[in-house]
């Protein structure tokens, strides 16, 4: 992967697609560790945090190192 390509894309588009960042095996290992009960995503911080499905209807699951070795390895 060319780091200049990544930096250029982040600067011009604000995002970058990194093909094959994880192998299919790594994805399978991570998937087994991640809980299925995702939380409704919200907006705001601290006391101003709220969920508004009209603005953000997705769900989220934060990765924690105690979810298993595949997750802690990924986070490192």
């Amino acid at each position: 992967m060319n780091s200049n390509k990544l930096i250029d894309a982040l600067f011009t588009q604000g995002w970058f697609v990194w093909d094959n960042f994880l192998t299919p095996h790594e994805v399978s290992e991570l998937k087994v560790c991640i809980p299925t009960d995702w939380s409704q995503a919200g907006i705001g911080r601290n006391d101003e945090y709220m969920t508004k499905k009209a603005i953000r209807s997705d769900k989220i699951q934060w990765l924690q190192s105690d979810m298993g070795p595949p997750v802690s390895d990924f986070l490192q």
Side-chain angles (χ1 to χ4, degrees), residues 2-75:
N2 181 341
S3 61
N4 288 334
K5 186 177 176 182
L6 179 144
I7 292 167
D8 289 345
L10 290 175
F11 180 75
T12 58
Q13 300 170 175
W15 54 272
F16 178 76
V17 175
W18 188 333
D19 293 328
N20 303 311
F21 176 72
L22 297 172
T23 67
H25 178 71
E26 290 169 325
V27 172
S28 295
E29 285 187 329
L30 284 168
K31 189 175 177 182
V32 170
C33 296
I34 298 172
T36 57
D37 57 336
W38 291 37
S39 301
Q40 181 65 45
I43 57 172
R45 292 179 186 230
N46 301 323
D47 292 339
E48 296 178 5
Y49 178 83
M50 65 183 85
T51 57
K52 288 199 171 208
K53 286 188 177 185
I55 296 173
R56 188 162 182 194
S57 61
D58 57 321
K59 293 194 174 193
I60 192 167
Q61 177 63 255
W62 291 101
L63 298 179
Q64 307 279 338
S65 59
D66 63 357
M67 289 177 170
V71 176
S72 62
D73 291 346
F74 172 77
L75 292 173

